Amino acid sequence: MFTGLVQQVGTLVSASSGRLLIRPAHRIENPVTGESIAVNGCCLTLERVNAAGELEFHTLAETLSRSNLGRLVPGSPVNLERALALGDRLGGHLVQGHVDAIAEVVDQKRNSSGDVELVVRIPDGFAVELVEKGSITIDGVSLTVAALTEQTFSVCLIPQTLADTALASKTAGTFVNLEGDIIGKYVRRFLEVANDSGNCKDTSSGITYEKLREAGFL
């Protein structure tokens, strides 16, 4: 489990035969073989750290096909985050490191207020994961949905995010990994099952699938 607060940016050294070699900007302190590290929001298992401090991961074909890791070339920047320890501050939101979709960046622009806005095309079937002012993970970064249309959503990037993550390099035509909010997924699934069984139409609390949809939660 992660928080979506990127700890540092690494550089892809090589990618071949399902193995990624990544050079972190700063040596990871006391790395543990077998620990989980999010790379662009993908939860990967650390297999080896070489003498230069570079991190080696094995990636399944499924991981490469369902994330932007399979599109990266040597020299590409990647966001890195070690797994959350119990008792740590949860500064972002709960992130599993399980990428739901790859999405195309439509634009990165500075709007009239001076904020930097990242506009992303909504992949097929992903709209249900998005709620205006809700949480979304983009390349492992915990962000808030600022605006939502039928075809796109946007987030605002503060200077700290631009400086400390690889999102500054995401311009029109590039691709990012998306992960929806895990709490929202469980709520939606519960309501889908309840609705299919007819148990969601008359609840003691008065909360129904239709009321949640009207309120913007679905």
Side-chain angles (χ1 to χ4, degrees):
M1 193 70 73
F2 307 90
T3 70
L5 297 185
V6 170
Q7 294 166 336
Q8 61 172 307
V9 175
T11 302
L12 179 66
V13 176
S14 63
S16 62
S17 302
R19 294 192 174 277
L20 298 182
L21 186 64
I22 295 171
R23 181 185 301 113
H26 310 285
R27 277 182 177 265
I28 289 183
E29 184 178 351
N30 300 320
V32 179
T33 300
E35 72 169 286
S36 296
I37 297 179
V39 180
N40 271 6
C42 299
C43 179
L44 301 180
T45 299
L46 179 63
E47 290 199 345
R48 191 173 74 90
V49 181
N50 65 23
E54 296 168 338
L55 315 175
E56 186 174 325
F57 304 90
H58 175 77
T59 50
L60 299 171
E62 178 78 359
T63 302
L64 296 176
S65 66
R66 294 178 65 92
S67 73
N68 65 6
L69 296 184
R71 301 170 184 252
L72 301 180
V73 297
S76 298
V78 293
N79 294 320
L80 301 175
E81 181 190 354
R82 301 178 80 175
L84 174 69
L86 288 176
D88 283 355
R89 290 186 178 88
L90 185 61
H93 70 283
L94 292 175
V95 176
Q96 288 186 297
H98 300 165
V99 172
D100 293 312
I102 306 172
E104 182 182 7
V105 173
V106 176
D107 196 11
Q108 184 182 135
K109 59 186 179 181
R110 190 172 297 276
N111 57 32
S112 58
S113 67
D115 294 332
V116 174
E117 183 178 5
L118 189 70
V119 184
V120 180
R121 194 180 313 280
I122 301 174
D124 292 342
F126 193 78
V128 69
E129 304 286 352
L130 298 167
V131 177
E132 191 168 342
K133 308 308 179 188
S135 295
I136 182 70
T137 307
I138 301 181
D139 270 2
V141 183
S142 174
L143 296 164
T144 300
V145 177
L148 185 61
T149 71
E150 290 187 1
Q151 296 184 333
T152 66
F153 73 93
S154 63
V155 296
C156 290
L157 306 177
I158 63 174
Q160 193 77 25
T161 301
L162 290 168
D164 293 348
T165 75
L167 290 185
S169 66
K170 298 301 179 180
T171 53
T174 58
F175 290 85
V176 293
N177 295 326
L178 302 180
E179 181 185 333
D181 182 12
I182 183 61
I183 296 176
K185 292 177 185 178
Y186 277 110
V187 171
R188 186 177 71 254
R189 179 57 178 161
F190 171 80
L191 291 171
E192 286 173 350
V193 172
N195 192 52
D196 289 343
S197 65
N199 294 332
C200 198
K201 296 181 180 178
D202 183 19
T203 66
S204 59
S205 67
I207 298 175
T208 66
Y209 190 90
E210 290 75 16
K211 284 185 178 180
L212 287 171
R213 183 183 296 279
E214 290 173 1
F217 289 101
L218 302 171

